[in-house]
Amino acid sequence: IRMEAWYEEDESRSKREKRMVFFIVAIALIVFAACVTLSLVVGILTSFDEIVYEDPVDPPFYQSITQSALNNHLQQFETIAAQYSNSRSVNNGYNASVEYVKSQLQNNTNYNVYQQHFTITEMIYSSSSLQQVSPVVQNYEEGSDYSIIENSPSGSVDNVPVFPIDASGCFISHFDGFIAGRVALIQESNLCLLEIAVANAEQSGAVLVLVHSDIKSSKPYSGELSSTTSNNIPVLGINYLLGTDLSSALEPNISATVVGEEQTSYTSNLIAETASGSSDSIIIIGSHLDSVPAGPGINDNGSGSAVNLELAIQTYQQALALENQIRFAWWGAEELGLLGSEFYVNSLTPQEKSKIRVNLNYDMLASSNYIRGVYNGSQADPPITKSCTKIAQIYEEFFLDQNLKYQFTPFNGRSDYGPFLEANITAGGLKTGSNGMKTVAERTSFGGLAQAIYDPCYHQACDTLENVNQEILMENAQAAANILQVLASQADLNSYLAE
């Protein structure tokens, strides 16, 4: 009996202990479930609070620019050139290029799109010749040995000595010791506009100017004078080998002729203005749309024009908030001496000029042997030195954020920002190089080939889509989109640029 009582008591105690364990586990599970539920509720409320009270983070505007869109525009420019003697110059495919850009703007934006017409005068050449007559007799071929500089005056020289100038001719002092009545042989340079060097040569008594390419290339120097130039003597570009021969020869004499006449024609700028943003504070984004007669100009300057067009389209498509009005411009006749942008700036009244806060210029953004160049705003003259420097810093900061190397390039007015600088309007922009030669240091920074031309197809028939460096095109397009957004969002753009 005692043993049975003990087993009954032990079994009862075991049941009580099991119930206690079960109770404790149940309580623990209930507490755990309550904590999980509370955590979820808090998370949901927090998320709801973020949705209701915090703005969503939009992707940056520059990500709206796509490679495919840019290439589509470039392909259209190339197709147009193919229909007009492989050129989009003012007398070939330029007007068709204008119509393409205009149709894109009208179909994809609500902008005020209009053309600004103007007349141009350019030289049309019928013949030329160049011969060395002593100490050896040698006939030279146009296109391979020499080329007529665009807008060179007509003229001729017969059996005239060549006087080599071991400099660019950008300063009158470069012609110290020059003998009047001779041919001036000067070196290619980016230090000044060519008409300045030619004017110095003419003032020193030169009867003809030869511009010696500084590139070890078989192609002659191809530059241009402004169609409004006051130069009166013929100007020819010669290749590196011919320039070296004439510089080293013992008193070489040459004969040359340039025969041409002026032709007046009509062209236009294309302008598109945003419907929003203050019309008292205007940002002008410009690129020249024309090419030279010799080629389709897909890098020069289909690249800048395509970027400008896509910026305009995406500004509208992305409903970018604009405190300042954007005026997109495609300039005509840049290749004849910045004529379109010059006409535009000169047509502005003082009041209209005062409303323009900044001009951004995009010219040759995709050279195959590129540098990643930012115009050096600190080289601008007062009173816009500080604001031009600010523009350069915005590009600089973007490239630094993207871990991309860049370099500052001369701000010498040799593209369509030039007329704006002359009017004391803040300016800036990007470039990748034209007919200059890449240095060893630049090759270290940007890759490519040292001692080779930035754009080997500059002003040539091979400046096609295949000549475009896709990587630098996209990077520059995104840098252009970034600065557009930065500037367009400033409530007081003048004060921002003065910081």
Side-chain angles (χ1 to χ4, degrees):
I1 294 175
R2 290 182 179 176
M3 286 296 292
E4 291 177 356
W6 183 84
Y7 281 120
E8 289 176 357
E9 182 181 351
D10 183 70
E11 183 178 4
S12 175
R13 185 168 54 250
S14 177
K15 288 180 179 180
R16 287 196 301 270
E17 290 175 351
K18 288 180 179 178
R19 284 196 295 269
M20 182 62 69
V21 170
F22 177 82
F23 178 79
I24 292 172
V25 170
I27 293 296
L29 290 173
I30 292 171
V31 171
F32 176 78
C35 291
V36 169
T37 301
L38 180 61
S39 176
L40 290 173
V41 170
V42 170
I44 291 170
L45 291 175
T46 301
S47 299
F48 180 78
D49 181 70
E50 289 175 352
I51 294 170
V52 173
Y53 296 105
E54 294 185 16
D55 293 331
V57 178
D58 293 327
F61 175 62
Y62 72 81
Q63 291 184 3
S64 66
I65 308 299
T66 65
Q67 199 94 48
S68 59
L70 296 174
N71 281 323
N72 181 62
H73 300 320
L74 293 177
Q75 184 60 66
Q76 291 299 318
F77 291 147
E78 187 167 306
T79 299
I80 289 168
Q83 298 168 354
Y84 292 89
S85 303
N86 196 38
S87 174
R88 296 184 305 104
S89 67
V90 291
N91 290 316
N92 287 296
Y94 177 73
N95 289 337
S97 298
V98 169
E99 289 304 313
Y100 169 72
V101 174
K102 185 195 295 186
S103 67
Q104 288 290 303
L105 294 167
Q106 291 173 337
N107 292 337
N108 295 289
T109 76
N110 69 342
Y111 299 158
N112 177 27
V113 182
Y114 58 95
Q115 287 176 257
Q116 181 189 44
H117 296 275
F118 60 97
T119 59
I120 59 172
T121 301
E122 60 179 324
M123 290 291 295
I124 304 298
Y125 302 99
S126 57
S127 65
S128 69
S129 64
L130 178 64
Q131 306 92 25
Q132 183 179 175
V133 295
S134 68
V136 297
V137 177
Q138 177 70 50
N139 291 320
Y140 300 111
E141 295 292 328
E142 182 180 358
S144 57
D145 299 314
Y146 76 93
S147 63
I148 304 172
I149 297 301
E150 291 179 38
N151 294 312
S152 165
S154 293
S156 64
V157 298
D158 184 34
N159 197 18
V160 176
V162 175
F163 194 108
I165 303 294
D166 190 25
S168 64
C170 288
F171 303 96
I172 193 66
S173 60
H174 289 169
F175 294 90
D176 289 348
F178 185 83
I179 301 173
R182 298 198 172 191
V183 172
L185 173 58
I186 65 175
Q187 296 180 353
E188 172 189 353
S189 174
N190 290 322
L191 290 176
C192 67
L193 295 175
L194 181 57
E195 49 256 42
I196 294 175
V198 174
N200 288 334
E202 187 173 355
Q203 182 180 337
S204 302
V207 293
L208 182 141
V209 173
L210 298 176
V211 185
H212 173 192
S213 173
D214 68 354
I215 306 296
K216 294 180 180 179
S217 167
S218 61
K219 298 184 181 299
Y221 170 76
S222 60
E224 65 272 337
L225 300 170
S226 169
S227 63
T228 59
T229 181
S230 59
N231 302 136
N232 298 300
I233 58 176
V235 186
L236 299 175
I238 59 177
N239 65 26
Y240 179 85
L241 182 60
L242 177 53
T244 301
D245 287 346
L246 292 176
S247 297
S248 60
L250 181 62
E251 299 181 354
N253 282 26
I254 67 165
S255 295
T257 61
V258 175
V259 180
E261 60 180 7
E262 290 186 342
Q263 174 179 296
T264 299
S265 55
Y266 296 88
T267 189
S268 65
N269 296 319
L270 178 65
I271 298 169
E273 299 173 336
T274 60
S276 59
S278 172
S279 59
D280 290 326
S281 181
I282 300 169
I283 300 166
I284 294 181
I285 303 178
S287 54
H288 78 84
L289 188 54
D290 62 315
S291 76
V292 295
I298 302 306
N299 182 37
D300 184 16
N301 180 40
S303 60
S305 293
V307 167
N308 201 7
L309 176 55
E310 196 58 22
L311 290 177
I313 291 172
Q314 292 306 319
T315 295
Y316 177 77
Q317 296 289 332
Q318 303 299 320
L320 191 65
L322 303 178
E323 293 286 345
N324 308 278
Q325 186 182 65
I326 311 294
R327 187 173 292 168
F328 299 95
W330 290 264
W331 310 120
E334 187 270 355
E335 297 292 2
L336 298 177
L338 315 183
L339 299 188
S341 55
E342 188 174 77
F343 180 83
Y344 175 81
V345 172
N346 290 341
S347 70
L348 296 170
T349 66
Q351 183 180 14
E352 289 171 333
K353 286 181 184 178
S354 70
K355 295 179 180 180
I356 299 173
R357 298 292 179 257
V358 62
N359 165 239
L360 303 177
N361 185 70
Y362 299 121
D363 188 359
M364 298 187 69
L365 298 187
S367 296
S368 56
N369 194 32
Y370 68 87
I371 57 170
R372 192 174 292 106
V374 176
Y375 289 128
N376 189 349
S378 66
Q379 295 177 352
D381 293 331
I384 58 173
T385 310
K386 190 171 185 179
S387 54
C388 289
T389 302
K390 179 70 172 182
I391 295 299
Q393 288 174 346
I394 299 171
Y395 290 118
E396 179 184 21
E397 289 169 1
F398 179 81
F399 287 138
L400 289 174
D401 287 344
Q402 302 296 312
N403 294 316
L404 297 173
K405 292 184 178 181
Y406 64 93
Q407 71 181 43
F408 289 119
T409 59
F411 205 34
N412 52 19
R414 294 191 63 183
S415 189
D416 285 303
Y417 63 87
F420 290 90
L421 289 183
E422 291 177 5
N424 285 325
I425 295 172
T426 299
L430 303 170
K431 64 177 293 185
T432 57
S434 55
N435 60 337
M437 187 162 57
K438 177 174 278 189
T439 66
V440 173
E442 289 170 340
R443 190 260 179 262
T444 301
S445 294
F446 307 112
L449 298 174
Q451 308 303 320
I453 302 173
Y454 299 122
D455 182 357
C457 289
Y458 177 69
H459 285 186
Q460 297 177 50
C462 60
D463 187 9
T464 63
L465 188 54
E466 290 184 357
N467 185 48
V468 167
N469 185 293
Q470 294 289 332
E471 179 181 11
I472 192 66
L473 173 67
M474 188 61 176
E475 291 166 354
N476 278 337
Q478 291 187 334
N482 175 72
I483 195 171
L484 186 160
Q485 183 176 27
V486 170
L487 296 179
S489 65
Q490 302 302 319
D492 186 349
L493 186 52
N494 263 348
S495 297
Y496 175 77
L497 292 174
E499 291 177 356

